[in-house]
Amino acid sequence: MAKSKSAYSEPGKLGKSEHHIIVVWVDNEAGVLARVVGLFSGRGYNIESLAVAEVDKKKHISRITIVTSGTPSVVEQIKLQLKKLIPVHKVADFKRNDPNILFKELALFKVVSSKKNREKARKLCKKYNSFILDKSKNSFVIQVTALRREIDKLIETLSPLGLVSTSRTGAVAMTRGSEIFK
Amino acid sequence: MGKLISGAEIVFKVLEHHKVEHIFGYPGGAVLPIYDELKNHKTIKHILARHEQGAGHAAEGYARSSGKPGVLLVTSGPGATNAVTALTDAYMDSVPLVCISGQVPTHLIGTDAFQECDTTGITRPCTKHNWLVKDVNDLAKVMDLAFEVATTGRPGPVLVDIPKDIQFKKTNFVLKSSNKKKLNGKSKPNGKISSTDLDKVINLMKKSSKPIFYTGGGVINSGPEASKSLRELVSITGFPITSTLQGLGAYPGDDPLFLGMLGMHGTYEANNSMYSCDLMINIGARFDDRITGKVDEFSPKSKKIHVDIDPSSIGKNIKVDLAVVSDVGSFLKALNKRIKEKHKDFLNSNKQNISKWWKDIDKWRQKKSLSFKNSKEVIKPQYAVQRLYELSKNKDTFITTEVGQHQMWAAQHYKFNKPNRWMTSGGLGTMGYGLPAAVGVQIAHPDKLVVDIAGEASVLMTMQEMSTAVQYKLPIKIFILNNQYMGMVRQWQELLHEKNYSESYTAALPDFVKLAEAYGCVGIQATKPDELDEKINEMININEPVIFDCRVDPTENCFPMIPSGKPHNQMLLGPEDEKEEVSDEGKTLV
């Protein structure tokens, strides 16, 4: 074994990385998003997508939905670290393949191409609850709501059909049934 | 409607409410209204540092030695950025600090005004929480919450950034402190320790034949009662105990059940016990990488119990079998009670169960891993620390350190018998911590002997604070183990970088005796082992600040050590082992 020149230990075995959706309820105050995001960047955690808006106008509570990936111990750390932040009220953690959770993401696509290709593009979007929001001679803007991976796939298939601009909200999540996360 | 008072006065009202007696700081443009108000509050004494980092470490030393939060007052811009090292240090070592910083007036925020910086942005990752107060009506509430967050849960630093116009603005002063038990300023869900958890702990203890207590700074932070309960627990169980750097003093350093410090420069018996134990009971320590070494090979055969007030400390580095989220003081008290009331059988059998284990430990002890080859010609640094210990142990001495070899030698050879007597920068490893920390300790304990065991490289980083010590007549002793090198850097270069001593030698050191005189304090130099005792006694007996230039062997290395990437049972005990290690790689020492 080559002699280590570091004052630090070598990395141990890594666990298997999994996708998680973390939902955080926070006081909507100045800097709160920076605290949450800074915790991720400072500790080297991933953010794949981020959606945030105030959901309770009276109590000024915002709901932040973060899609992240990490080993089980990293995800556990993320939750515990988030819970320590002063403006954080509660933290929920869902696995991406949890059947009891609804995940949705909204995307806008601008397609500029021939009539034929636009027609193809429109058809591809059809099953994702699509609406045409704007039309011109040679383009349209279409809205879809779907799972993240479905939108990933759509982007791939729309690219050769004249997709010129994409905007996505990042995933939001909610539990099925009458229960709410406490 | 009551009398309207200014933001600056509100700051002091809240400080008075929290019984703050000392604040450490440095004035400047954006904080002048608060400094102007100082004269009206006689119970609060301001200590003028020479640099905001010095003020911060002084506040840390004050906090760690007294158990009270340290308060720091700095101006905007460079005042705040200079405080960042101290805040980060306090964050890593869980020291409660409240930092109040001035900010440019609200209408200038974001305009790159003179001495403006994004203080809350810069300090967000190195505080438990921070606030920019934009409305004077929020100030009292925020200041009060700042103390609560700093001192509850796992303690740590907080910062309140107050724009200058808010310091001037007037409002009604209302302070409603809630009496609810809170953790990190949040309502505490359930503070009680369940008896099921206690029984689980005790059952693991019953089954164990090779147990060890591994205790840390959490025991100190939990207050002197926690140390008492720990001593009781160790005494009724007869289990061996080792401590982290930050935990030293929670258990008496000269007690036979104490195995000494563990970790990279811990004792052979402590590290081997950690490696070979079948039950590890971690109380208020955080499995830091200086402790665990390579995590995959850390104590492979043991069940692990972890008691910590911070849920995010549990499972962060090492998976444990039983976790208890609790203040360690309350836990220890409850555990002792439970053992005595419900588990008398255990008390009768435990010492028998572990007698073989103690035989193993005694074998490791025979190695005498802290021994060193003494010399008649040159002062060995370990010898200097030993003599300092022997000559000051009858006084209630407070020790601070800088960072490096001298720090490890101090930890190894100075035996602490009480908590809060040992102030050192463990997590961040801040060179320049010890001198200003000694200032803070002496402020909190004016009649006690306070010694900074220092290295000459570290101490030069915050040497200007000698001026503070002289101004306030603080008789701190700066005991410099002067080897002319950044010793720990030199040691790593010798062992791991083919003796390429790149930039670790200081070619132009000051004459420390003359330097002491220039500051208006006393300078002493020792160069020979036989003059050491007399000069140390001279230092102790002078009621003035002293800089002691102790010239030590420049090539001495700090042993034992766990080489990087090695498990605990593969320690280097001294220079001899080092040679073997090179000629026969992979050779283990056990």
Side-chain angles (χ1 to χ4, degrees):
Chain A
M1 191 180 90
K3 204 167 166 188
S4 166
K5 287 195 173 183
S6 169
Y8 293 92
S9 61
E10 285 146 39
K13 286 186 210 92
L14 286 177
K16 205 175 152 226
S17 183
E18 288 173 329
H19 279 85
H20 282 250
I21 287 87
I22 309 241
V23 183
V24 194
W25 285 262
V26 298
D27 289 324
N28 183 15
E29 59 182 34
V32 65
L33 190 60
R35 281 182 212 285
V36 170
V37 173
L39 193 149
F40 275 75
S41 63
R43 291 188 179 266
Y45 309 143
N46 268 329
I47 292 184
E48 283 183 19
S49 86
L50 176 75
V52 51
E54 190 171 82
V55 291
D56 187 330
K57 287 269 173 232
K58 264 191 197 148
K59 293 182 187 158
H60 297 291
I61 303 286
S62 287
R63 179 164 169 152
I64 304 177
T65 311
I66 300 167
V67 180
T68 185
S69 60
T71 61
S73 63
V74 164
V75 173
E76 187 60 24
Q77 261 298 298
I78 292 176
K79 281 191 292 182
L80 293 169
Q81 294 289 352
L82 281 170
K83 282 182 190 165
K84 273 168 74 176
L85 296 178
I86 307 299
V88 167
H89 292 266
K90 55 181 181 177
V91 179
D93 160 33
F94 307 116
K95 275 198 184 164
R96 190 168 62 174
N97 49 13
D98 188 336
N100 292 318
I101 309 298
L102 298 161
F103 299 115
K104 280 292 173 221
E105 178 167 340
L106 185 146
L108 305 180
F109 299 125
K110 180 175 285 189
V111 178
V112 182
S113 59
S114 66
K115 201 175 170 195
K116 196 175 135 204
N117 279 347
R118 273 182 284 147
E119 191 51 35
K120 271 191 193 164
R122 205 179 56 78
K123 275 191 180 150
L124 281 168
C125 293
K126 211 165 185 177
K127 65 173 174 179
Y128 300 115
N129 199 21
S130 65
F131 297 97
I132 301 264
L133 303 175
D134 176 67
K135 256 190 207 173
S136 81
K137 268 202 329 274
N138 58 348
S139 74
F140 65 70
V141 176
I142 193 163
Q143 168 192 318
V144 299
T145 45
L147 293 172
R148 273 180 73 71
R149 58 175 176 277
E150 290 167 341
I151 292 174
D152 289 344
K153 186 88 185 142
L154 260 179
I155 292 172
E156 246 173 63
T157 48
L158 290 179
S159 278
L161 301 174
L163 177 67
V164 296
S165 181
T166 306
S167 179
R168 325 173 46 164
T169 57
V172 291
M174 193 164 275
T175 50
R176 289 183 188 269
S178 59
E179 296 295 304
I180 59 163
F181 181 81
K182 288 231 173 69
Chain B
M1 276 261 302
K3 196 178 140 230
L4 295 181
I5 67 169
S6 71
E9 193 174 350
I10 288 173
V11 168
F12 283 96
K13 289 268 183 202
V14 179
L15 294 182
E16 283 163 351
H17 174 79
H18 287 274
K19 302 190 171 57
V20 172
E21 291 168 49
H22 295 96
I23 53 181
F24 300 86
Y26 203 104
V31 79
L32 282 181
I34 296 177
Y35 272 89
D36 195 35
E37 185 62 29
L38 184 61
K39 63 179 186 303
N40 302 325
H41 302 271
K42 298 291 181 214
T43 57
I44 296 175
K45 195 175 174 202
H46 180 269
I47 308 299
L48 175 64
R50 299 299 183 262
H51 186 288
E52 288 86 352
Q53 184 192 350
H57 293 321
E60 283 188 87
Y62 183 89
R64 233 195 208 303
S65 66
S66 68
K68 293 186 278 190
V71 181
L72 174 61
L73 179 58
V74 300
T75 193
S76 64
T81 57
N82 279 346
V84 165
T85 299
L87 291 172
T88 313
D89 191 272
Y91 193 53
M92 291 285 267
D93 283 343
S94 311
V95 182
L97 285 193
V98 176
C99 179
I100 301 159
S101 57
Q103 181 55 281
V104 300
T106 36
H107 74 278
L108 286 178
I109 290 178
T111 66
D112 298 325
F114 177 64
Q115 293 196 328
E116 183 191 353
C117 73
D118 176 9
T119 303
T120 48
I122 290 169
T123 58
R124 200 172 287 132
C126 62
T127 53
K128 283 180 80 177
H129 196 62
N130 60 18
W131 297 262
L132 170 63
V133 182
K134 285 180 151 173
D135 180 347
V136 72
N137 295 309
D138 295 337
L139 184 56
K141 193 180 67 194
V142 166
M143 282 288 299
D144 189 50
L145 187 58
F147 275 89
E148 200 170 276
V149 172
T151 53
T152 55
R154 178 174 173 187
V158 296
L159 178 136
V160 185
D161 200 25
I162 314 176
K164 194 169 181 180
D165 55 325
I166 303 297
Q167 300 169 30
F168 279 125
K169 254 195 202 137
K170 295 198 167 189
T171 186
N172 282 306
F173 175 67
V174 197
L175 184 58
K176 276 185 254 160
S177 258
S178 70
N179 294 322
K180 252 197 289 175
K181 275 250 172 190
K182 289 194 178 173
L183 196 62
N184 292 346
K186 300 179 182 187
S187 294
K188 212 172 163 183
N190 182 8
K192 258 192 126 182
I193 304 149
S194 77
S195 43
T196 334
D197 275 348
L198 293 174
D199 286 342
K200 277 188 200 157
V201 172
I202 297 166
N203 283 329
L204 283 170
M205 287 162 80
K206 278 181 186 169
K207 279 188 212 140
S208 165
S209 59
K210 297 175 175 181
I212 186 164
F213 289 115
Y214 149 46
T215 63
V219 185
I220 312 273
N221 271 334
S222 186
E225 281 300 309
S227 292
K228 269 190 206 158
S229 304
L230 176 66
R231 288 162 196 222
E232 188 187 349
L233 177 65
V234 174
S235 134
I236 60 177
T237 58
F239 289 2
I241 172 170
T242 177
S243 165
T244 67
L245 181 71
Q246 292 298 357
L248 294 175
Y251 192 84
D254 52 5
D255 187 277
L257 299 188
F258 186 62
L259 307 186
M261 182 177 76
L262 80 161
M264 187 173 268
H265 293 288
T267 65
Y268 190 72
E269 53 271 33
N271 284 328
N272 274 288
S273 305
M274 286 290 277
Y275 185 83
S276 308
C277 64
D278 66 1
L279 176 66
M280 178 185 298
I281 307 165
N282 172 345
I283 301 171
R286 61 184 177 92
F287 291 112
D288 172 82
D289 71 279
R290 302 291 96 169
I291 298 299
T292 61
K294 193 178 183 186
V295 291
D296 292 350
E297 291 175 55
F298 175 70
S299 194
K301 286 163 270 179
S302 62
K303 292 253 181 212
K304 298 176 185 74
I305 301 172
H306 190 178
V307 187
D308 204 296
I309 199 164
D310 173 9
S312 71
S313 276
I314 292 170
K316 181 172 63 182
N317 301 329
I318 299 288
K319 282 215 173 66
V320 295
D321 302 278
L322 176 60
V324 183
V325 176
S326 164
D327 165 52
V328 297
S330 328
F331 170 82
L332 288 168
K333 207 171 164 190
L335 183 64
N336 287 340
K337 195 168 163 234
R338 188 83 186 167
I339 291 175
K340 281 186 282 188
E341 283 172 6
K342 304 268 176 189
H343 298 271
K344 292 219 174 76
D345 55 325
F346 170 59
L347 287 182
N348 298 330
S349 64
N350 57 336
K351 286 178 190 167
Q352 184 65 36
N353 286 346
I354 57 168
S355 61
K356 185 167 176 300
W357 177 229
W358 270 110
K359 277 186 193 135
D360 292 345
I361 291 171
D362 284 337
K363 249 180 256 160
W364 293 320
R365 270 189 169 153
Q366 299 298 315
K367 289 262 183 187
K368 297 198 186 308
S369 60
L370 296 183
S371 61
F372 57 95
K373 228 184 186 161
N374 211 352
S375 158
K376 287 213 164 91
E377 279 74 47
V378 56
I379 301 174
K380 290 285 179 178
Q382 303 93 322
Y383 177 69
V385 176
Q386 284 183 345
R387 292 319 301 159
L388 178 69
Y389 168 63
E390 291 300 330
L391 298 170
S392 65
K393 69 178 179 188
N394 293 327
K395 295 174 183 280
D396 189 9
T397 308
F398 290 70
I399 301 286
T400 71
T401 76
E402 312 291 334
V403 169
Q405 284 183 322
H406 68 273
Q407 177 189 29
M408 292 299 111
W409 283 318
Q412 291 172 341
H413 296 281
Y414 206 101
K415 313 282 177 216
F416 295 92
N417 288 315
K418 288 183 190 169
N420 305 98
R421 301 301 189 272
W422 166 244
M423 275 58 59
T424 192
S425 170
L428 193 63
T430 312
M431 293 170 72
Y433 167 89
L435 196 162
V439 167
V441 174
Q442 192 84 75
I443 291 285
H445 307 275
D447 303 322
K448 296 289 166 76
L449 175 61
V450 181
V451 184
D452 171 25
I453 299 181
E456 82 294 336
S458 283
V459 81
L460 283 174
M461 287 197 176
T462 49
M463 180 50 91
Q464 76 284 348
E465 300 303 330
M466 271 325 272
S467 179
T468 311
V470 171
Q471 177 178 343
Y472 296 96
K473 299 189 169 56
L474 306 172
I476 57 171
K477 317 296 185 223
I478 311 304
F479 189 73
I480 305 173
L481 300 178
N482 183 353
N483 62 1
Q484 303 160 60
Y485 279 100
M486 295 156 213
M488 197 58 97
V489 174
R490 196 201 54 73
Q491 176 167 346
W492 281 94
Q493 289 174 332
E494 180 186 328
L495 300 182
L496 301 168
H497 294 270
E498 292 82 37
K499 304 192 179 175
N500 173 20
Y501 298 123
S502 181
E503 302 294 324
S504 55
Y505 179 73
T506 315
L509 284 168
D511 178 330
F512 284 105
V513 174
K514 280 192 185 153
L515 189 62
E517 284 159 10
Y519 275 114
C521 57
V522 179
I524 300 175
Q525 191 184 60
T527 55
K528 293 272 172 266
D530 56 13
E531 62 177 356
L532 199 52
D533 278 24
E534 183 198 329
K535 297 215 161 165
I536 289 175
N537 278 328
E538 183 190 345
M539 171 184 88
I540 291 172
N541 292 325
I542 296 173
N543 193 24
E544 275 183 78
V546 176
I547 297 178
F548 191 116
D549 182 14
C550 186
R551 295 299 184 96
V552 299
D553 184 350
T555 59
E556 190 69 19
N557 282 339
C558 185
F559 288 110
M561 77 181 279
I562 303 177
S564 57
K566 293 288 167 71
H568 277 171
N569 60 345
Q570 298 181 27
M571 294 196 82
L572 300 181
L573 287 172
E576 299 310 310
D577 280 337
E578 217 290 314
K579 277 178 210 134
E580 286 175 34
E581 181 76 6
V582 174
S583 61
D584 185 12
E585 273 177 323
K587 179 175 160 59
T588 58
L589 300 168
V590 178

